[in-house]
Amino acid sequence: MMKRMLFTLCAVGILSGCGGEEVSVVKLEHMPAQWDVRDMNSNSFDIGPETWASDLLHACTDDPIPQINEDVTVYHSYALNRKAMISDYDAHAYKLVTYVKGEQNYAICQDGFSPKMRVGLIEELPSFVQASKGVTIPTVPNIGIATMEQEESVKGSDYSDIFEVPVHLVDGTMIQVTPSLNGSITLTIGEDEGIFPLSIIEPYNAQMGVVTIALGYDEKSQKAYFFAESEGGLLSYDPVVTMTETDYFQPKQFEGLQVERVLQADSLEPGVETPLYTFSFVENGKRVTKDVRLTYTEREFATAKSIEADIESNPAVPSGPFVFVHKTPLNGKATIDYPNVLRAAGIDMSDLMDAIDGAEPVNRAGDVEEYSLLTVIDGWVGQEFQISFKKRSKKVDVYLTDAKRNQTFKLTSAGAETFFSYFPDLKE
């Protein structure tokens, strides 16, 4: 009889030295069902299956690397969005992941933690990343002069269904730019700062491919325009703007504008001013000549130190864990609101988490009531339990069942008191 009792105790793992490991109550994992996944480079932003979410949630969770120093092929970007908003601001509410391949495989991620993107190494690209959807890009932007045929092709195209005003291009101004992976291109006209169509270069933009850019000019308004068309089908026709004395960008007038393209370079090297055009126009009654230059700046990806600094600079942002008791799974497209969802009271969840983690394995559960689920969410990971209760004369026992492991745990008496202090509505 004693041998049988000892075997039973060992089976649930509550004795040490029985040849088995103690069962851990809290086992936070990725929860794909809580996320929407979208292919950001598809025409319809298609929602992908939950199986994609597992790969995306794992991306960039190891130590980040600060730079990718090689030509790479950039594949589609995928956006994760949590289906239910768990707080007013949750840094883990979304995640944008772009897959990149060079000599090694990379995932590039952006989320609410830091304005910088972070890069992580991965062993292989996920199965849903299609090799045919990749775009090869250089380490620095390539730049070149478009052919006469390309200019005539753009001039002969009808953009009336896109632009309200006709596109009048200036002869001999068309160039082509192949963006790099991560950086910015600034424009200067004389000493004035302006905005170039490719002012911000990010991995997501690589799907644009080569971008054709030309100058337009409207003699009536005396405004110049940048026309840009990408291989990926993006079009823009924006006025040339410069910074004013009040640090505000606004369209600049160029009376009697004459343009000469002076581009000689075939790439934009970091920190080097590259002459692009010469502008000649009337200013304050006199004709002036000003150089138009481009300057490329590399941008570093996030480091562990910069991410930590970003987190420390936002101490008011709740960091989790968050604990909820609810009626239905938190995988619906809804804000977590009362009365369907009860959120643990307070900010510090340490006592509640200790109470959950201190629960003991048992072979039975209690009675399942209206609030039948308890979910812990901590960053990208979480855990869902079925919650049940057993009412006694002077107390209420609390049980948590992990369906994935088919294991039920009972909170200690002190743990149950702590639980109800966080969820007083459930004690009524």
Side-chain angles (χ1 to χ4, degrees), residues 21-31 353 356-358 374-378 380-385 400-407 409:
E21 296 183 359
E22 185 175 344
V23 176
S24 176
V25 182
V26 177
K27 189 177 180 182
L28 304 182
E29 300 174 326
H30 293 128
M31 305 176 69
M353 292 302 297
I356 295 172
D357 207 31
L374 180 145
T375 295
V376 178
I377 295 176
D378 191 3
W380 305 118
V381 295
Q383 188 173 7
E384 183 183 84
F385 298 95
L400 301 175
T401 300
D402 186 336
K404 291 184 68 174
R405 292 183 285 173
N406 193 29
Q407 176 64 64
F409 305 90

Short mmCIF file of all heavy atoms in Angstrom, two decimals, residues 21-31 353 356-358 374-378 380-385 400-407 409:
data_model
loop_
_atom_site.label_atom_id
_atom_site.label_comp_id
_atom_site.label_asym_id
_atom_site.label_seq_id
_atom_site.Cartn_x
_atom_site.Cartn_y
_atom_site.Cartn_z
N GLU A 21 10.73 15.48 -12.56
CA GLU A 21 10.87 16.89 -12.26
C GLU A 21 9.57 17.44 -11.70
O GLU A 21 8.49 16.98 -12.03
CB GLU A 21 11.28 17.66 -13.51
CG GLU A 21 12.64 17.28 -14.05
CD GLU A 21 13.01 18.13 -15.25
OE1 GLU A 21 12.19 18.98 -15.64
OE2 GLU A 21 14.11 17.92 -15.79
N GLU A 22 9.68 18.45 -10.84
CA GLU A 22 8.51 19.10 -10.29
C GLU A 22 7.76 19.86 -11.39
O GLU A 22 8.38 20.48 -12.24
CB GLU A 22 8.93 20.07 -9.19
CG GLU A 22 7.77 20.71 -8.47
CD GLU A 22 8.23 21.57 -7.31
OE1 GLU A 22 9.39 21.42 -6.90
OE2 GLU A 22 7.42 22.39 -6.83
N VAL A 23 6.45 19.74 -11.38
CA VAL A 23 5.63 20.39 -12.40
C VAL A 23 5.59 21.89 -12.15
O VAL A 23 5.29 22.34 -11.04
CB VAL A 23 4.19 19.82 -12.39
CG1 VAL A 23 3.32 20.56 -13.40
CG2 VAL A 23 4.23 18.33 -12.70
N SER A 24 5.88 22.68 -13.18
CA SER A 24 5.82 24.14 -13.08
C SER A 24 4.45 24.60 -13.53
O SER A 24 3.97 24.22 -14.60
CB SER A 24 6.92 24.77 -13.94
OG SER A 24 6.81 26.17 -13.92
N VAL A 25 3.80 25.43 -12.72
CA VAL A 25 2.46 25.90 -13.05
C VAL A 25 2.52 26.92 -14.20
O VAL A 25 1.86 26.78 -15.22
CB VAL A 25 1.77 26.53 -11.82
CG1 VAL A 25 0.36 26.96 -12.18
CG2 VAL A 25 1.76 25.53 -10.67
N VAL A 26 3.34 27.95 -14.01
CA VAL A 26 3.45 29.00 -15.00
C VAL A 26 4.42 28.56 -16.09
O VAL A 26 5.60 28.31 -15.84
CB VAL A 26 3.92 30.32 -14.37
CG1 VAL A 26 4.11 31.39 -15.44
CG2 VAL A 26 2.92 30.80 -13.31
N LYS A 27 3.92 28.45 -17.29
CA LYS A 27 4.73 28.04 -18.44
C LYS A 27 4.30 28.90 -19.62
O LYS A 27 3.45 28.52 -20.43
CB LYS A 27 4.52 26.56 -18.74
CG LYS A 27 5.48 26.01 -19.78
CD LYS A 27 5.26 24.51 -19.98
CE LYS A 27 6.24 23.96 -21.01
NZ LYS A 27 6.03 22.53 -21.27
N LEU A 28 4.87 30.10 -19.70
CA LEU A 28 4.45 31.07 -20.71
C LEU A 28 5.02 30.71 -22.08
O LEU A 28 6.21 30.43 -22.21
CB LEU A 28 4.91 32.47 -20.31
CG LEU A 28 4.44 32.97 -18.93
CD1 LEU A 28 4.93 34.38 -18.69
CD2 LEU A 28 2.92 32.90 -18.81
N GLU A 29 4.15 30.72 -23.08
CA GLU A 29 4.54 30.37 -24.44
C GLU A 29 3.86 31.33 -25.41
O GLU A 29 2.96 32.09 -25.04
CB GLU A 29 4.13 28.92 -24.77
CG GLU A 29 4.76 27.88 -23.87
CD GLU A 29 4.21 26.48 -24.15
OE1 GLU A 29 3.01 26.38 -24.49
OE2 GLU A 29 4.98 25.52 -24.03
N HIS A 30 4.27 31.27 -26.67
CA HIS A 30 3.59 32.06 -27.69
C HIS A 30 2.18 31.51 -27.90
O HIS A 30 1.95 30.30 -27.87
CB HIS A 30 4.36 32.00 -29.01
CG HIS A 30 5.69 32.70 -28.93
ND1 HIS A 30 6.87 32.11 -29.30
CD2 HIS A 30 6.03 33.94 -28.49
CE1 HIS A 30 7.87 32.96 -29.11
NE2 HIS A 30 7.39 34.06 -28.62
N MET A 31 1.23 32.43 -28.13
CA MET A 31 -0.18 32.07 -28.27
C MET A 31 -0.67 32.57 -29.63
O MET A 31 -1.26 33.66 -29.73
CB MET A 31 -0.99 32.65 -27.12
CG MET A 31 -0.48 32.25 -25.75
SD MET A 31 -1.37 33.02 -24.38
CE MET A 31 -2.96 32.20 -24.49
N MET A 353 1.12 36.44 -9.40
CA MET A 353 1.89 35.46 -10.15
C MET A 353 2.52 34.43 -9.21
O MET A 353 2.59 33.24 -9.53
CB MET A 353 2.97 36.16 -10.98
CG MET A 353 2.43 37.01 -12.12
SD MET A 353 1.41 36.10 -13.30
CE MET A 353 2.61 34.94 -13.95
N ILE A 356 -0.20 31.98 -8.29
CA ILE A 356 -0.46 31.02 -9.37
C ILE A 356 0.66 30.00 -9.46
O ILE A 356 0.42 28.79 -9.54
CB ILE A 356 -0.62 31.76 -10.71
CG1 ILE A 356 -1.88 32.65 -10.67
CG2 ILE A 356 -0.71 30.78 -11.87
CD1 ILE A 356 -2.02 33.56 -11.88
N ASP A 357 1.90 30.49 -9.42
CA ASP A 357 3.05 29.58 -9.55
C ASP A 357 3.19 28.66 -8.35
O ASP A 357 3.80 27.60 -8.45
CB ASP A 357 4.33 30.39 -9.74
CG ASP A 357 5.39 29.62 -10.50
OD1 ASP A 357 5.01 28.78 -11.35
OD2 ASP A 357 6.59 29.83 -10.26
N GLY A 358 2.60 29.05 -7.22
CA GLY A 358 2.68 28.22 -6.02
C GLY A 358 1.56 27.21 -5.89
O GLY A 358 1.47 26.49 -4.89
N LEU A 374 -8.76 32.02 -17.33
CA LEU A 374 -7.77 32.96 -16.79
C LEU A 374 -6.60 32.99 -17.75
O LEU A 374 -6.08 31.93 -18.12
CB LEU A 374 -7.31 32.56 -15.40
CG LEU A 374 -6.28 33.48 -14.73
CD1 LEU A 374 -6.51 33.57 -13.22
CD2 LEU A 374 -4.84 33.03 -14.99
N THR A 375 -6.19 34.19 -18.15
CA THR A 375 -5.09 34.33 -19.10
C THR A 375 -4.03 35.26 -18.52
O THR A 375 -4.35 36.33 -18.02
CB THR A 375 -5.57 34.87 -20.45
OG1 THR A 375 -6.44 33.90 -21.06
CG2 THR A 375 -4.39 35.12 -21.38
N VAL A 376 -2.79 34.82 -18.62
CA VAL A 376 -1.63 35.64 -18.28
C VAL A 376 -0.98 36.06 -19.59
O VAL A 376 -0.74 35.22 -20.47
CB VAL A 376 -0.62 34.86 -17.43
CG1 VAL A 376 0.61 35.73 -17.14
CG2 VAL A 376 -1.25 34.38 -16.14
N ILE A 377 -0.72 37.35 -19.76
CA ILE A 377 -0.02 37.85 -20.94
C ILE A 377 1.19 38.65 -20.48
O ILE A 377 1.07 39.59 -19.69
CB ILE A 377 -0.94 38.74 -21.81
CG1 ILE A 377 -2.08 37.91 -22.39
CG2 ILE A 377 -0.14 39.39 -22.94
CD1 ILE A 377 -3.10 38.72 -23.18
N ASP A 378 2.35 38.25 -20.93
CA ASP A 378 3.58 38.92 -20.56
C ASP A 378 4.44 39.09 -21.82
O ASP A 378 5.12 38.17 -22.25
CB ASP A 378 4.34 38.11 -19.50
CG ASP A 378 5.48 38.91 -18.89
OD1 ASP A 378 5.64 40.09 -19.24
OD2 ASP A 378 6.22 38.35 -18.04
N TRP A 380 5.40 38.96 -25.50
CA TRP A 380 4.96 38.15 -26.65
C TRP A 380 4.42 36.79 -26.22
O TRP A 380 3.93 36.03 -27.05
CB TRP A 380 6.12 37.94 -27.62
CG TRP A 380 6.76 39.19 -28.11
CD1 TRP A 380 8.05 39.59 -27.92
CD2 TRP A 380 6.15 40.25 -28.87
NE1 TRP A 380 8.27 40.82 -28.50
CE2 TRP A 380 7.13 41.24 -29.09
CE3 TRP A 380 4.87 40.45 -29.38
CZ2 TRP A 380 6.86 42.41 -29.80
CZ3 TRP A 380 4.60 41.61 -30.08
CH2 TRP A 380 5.59 42.57 -30.29
N VAL A 381 4.52 36.45 -24.94
CA VAL A 381 4.12 35.12 -24.48
C VAL A 381 2.95 35.22 -23.52
O VAL A 381 2.61 36.30 -23.02
CB VAL A 381 5.30 34.38 -23.81
CG1 VAL A 381 6.40 34.10 -24.83
CG2 VAL A 381 5.87 35.19 -22.64
N GLY A 382 2.36 34.08 -23.24
CA GLY A 382 1.23 34.05 -22.32
C GLY A 382 0.83 32.63 -22.01
O GLY A 382 1.49 31.66 -22.42
N GLN A 383 -0.25 32.50 -21.29
CA GLN A 383 -0.74 31.17 -20.91
C GLN A 383 -2.21 31.29 -20.56
O GLN A 383 -2.64 32.26 -19.93
CB GLN A 383 0.05 30.63 -19.71
CG GLN A 383 -0.25 29.20 -19.34
CD GLN A 383 0.69 28.69 -18.26
OE1 GLN A 383 1.48 29.46 -17.69
NE2 GLN A 383 0.61 27.41 -17.95
N GLU A 384 -2.99 30.31 -20.98
CA GLU A 384 -4.42 30.29 -20.69
C GLU A 384 -4.76 29.09 -19.83
O GLU A 384 -4.30 27.96 -20.09
CB GLU A 384 -5.24 30.24 -21.99
CG GLU A 384 -6.74 30.30 -21.76
CD GLU A 384 -7.54 30.18 -23.05
OE1 GLU A 384 -7.77 29.03 -23.49
OE2 GLU A 384 -7.91 31.22 -23.62
N PHE A 385 -5.54 29.32 -18.79
CA PHE A 385 -6.05 28.26 -17.92
C PHE A 385 -7.56 28.28 -17.94
O PHE A 385 -8.18 29.34 -18.10
CB PHE A 385 -5.62 28.49 -16.46
CG PHE A 385 -4.14 28.46 -16.20
CD1 PHE A 385 -3.42 29.65 -16.17
CD2 PHE A 385 -3.48 27.27 -15.96
CE1 PHE A 385 -2.06 29.65 -15.89
CE2 PHE A 385 -2.11 27.26 -15.68
CZ PHE A 385 -1.41 28.45 -15.65
N LEU A 400 -6.92 25.81 -11.37
CA LEU A 400 -6.48 26.22 -12.70
C LEU A 400 -6.10 24.99 -13.50
O LEU A 400 -5.27 24.19 -13.06
CB LEU A 400 -5.27 27.17 -12.61
CG LEU A 400 -5.46 28.46 -11.83
CD1 LEU A 400 -4.14 29.22 -11.74
CD2 LEU A 400 -6.53 29.34 -12.47
N THR A 401 -6.70 24.85 -14.67
CA THR A 401 -6.43 23.70 -15.53
C THR A 401 -5.74 24.15 -16.80
O THR A 401 -6.27 24.99 -17.54
CB THR A 401 -7.72 22.94 -15.89
OG1 THR A 401 -8.35 22.49 -14.68
CG2 THR A 401 -7.41 21.74 -16.78
N ASP A 402 -4.56 23.62 -17.04
CA ASP A 402 -3.82 23.87 -18.28
C ASP A 402 -4.22 22.80 -19.28
O ASP A 402 -3.78 21.65 -19.18
CB ASP A 402 -2.32 23.84 -18.00
CG ASP A 402 -1.49 24.24 -19.21
OD1 ASP A 402 -2.00 24.11 -20.34
OD2 ASP A 402 -0.34 24.68 -19.04
N ALA A 403 -5.07 23.16 -20.24
CA ALA A 403 -5.61 22.18 -21.19
C ALA A 403 -4.51 21.59 -22.07
O ALA A 403 -4.59 20.42 -22.46
CB ALA A 403 -6.69 22.82 -22.05
N LYS A 404 -3.46 22.38 -22.39
CA LYS A 404 -2.40 21.88 -23.26
C LYS A 404 -1.64 20.73 -22.60
O LYS A 404 -1.19 19.81 -23.27
CB LYS A 404 -1.43 23.01 -23.61
CG LYS A 404 -2.02 24.07 -24.52
CD LYS A 404 -0.98 25.11 -24.90
CE LYS A 404 0.09 24.51 -25.80
NZ LYS A 404 1.04 25.54 -26.29
N ARG A 405 -1.51 20.80 -21.28
CA ARG A 405 -0.80 19.74 -20.56
C ARG A 405 -1.75 18.77 -19.86
O ARG A 405 -1.30 17.80 -19.24
CB ARG A 405 0.14 20.36 -19.52
CG ARG A 405 1.31 21.10 -20.13
CD ARG A 405 2.24 21.63 -19.05
NE ARG A 405 1.69 22.80 -18.37
CZ ARG A 405 2.24 23.36 -17.29
NH1 ARG A 405 3.34 22.83 -16.76
NH2 ARG A 405 1.70 24.43 -16.74
N ASN A 406 -3.04 19.05 -19.94
CA ASN A 406 -4.04 18.22 -19.26
C ASN A 406 -3.71 18.07 -17.79
O ASN A 406 -3.74 16.98 -17.22
CB ASN A 406 -4.15 16.84 -19.93
CG ASN A 406 -5.38 16.07 -19.46
OD1 ASN A 406 -6.40 16.68 -19.09
ND2 ASN A 406 -5.29 14.76 -19.47
N GLN A 407 -3.40 19.20 -17.16
CA GLN A 407 -3.00 19.20 -15.76
C GLN A 407 -3.75 20.29 -15.00
O GLN A 407 -3.86 21.42 -15.45
CB GLN A 407 -1.49 19.44 -15.63
CG GLN A 407 -0.98 19.54 -14.21
CD GLN A 407 -1.16 18.24 -13.44
OE1 GLN A 407 -0.55 17.23 -13.80
NE2 GLN A 407 -1.97 18.25 -12.40
N PHE A 409 -4.24 22.45 -11.33
CA PHE A 409 -3.52 22.91 -10.15
C PHE A 409 -4.50 23.58 -9.21
O PHE A 409 -5.44 24.25 -9.64
CB PHE A 409 -2.42 23.91 -10.54
CG PHE A 409 -1.45 23.41 -11.55
CD1 PHE A 409 -1.68 23.59 -12.91
CD2 PHE A 409 -0.30 22.73 -11.16
CE1 PHE A 409 -0.78 23.13 -13.85
CE2 PHE A 409 0.61 22.27 -12.09
CZ PHE A 409 0.37 22.46 -13.44
#
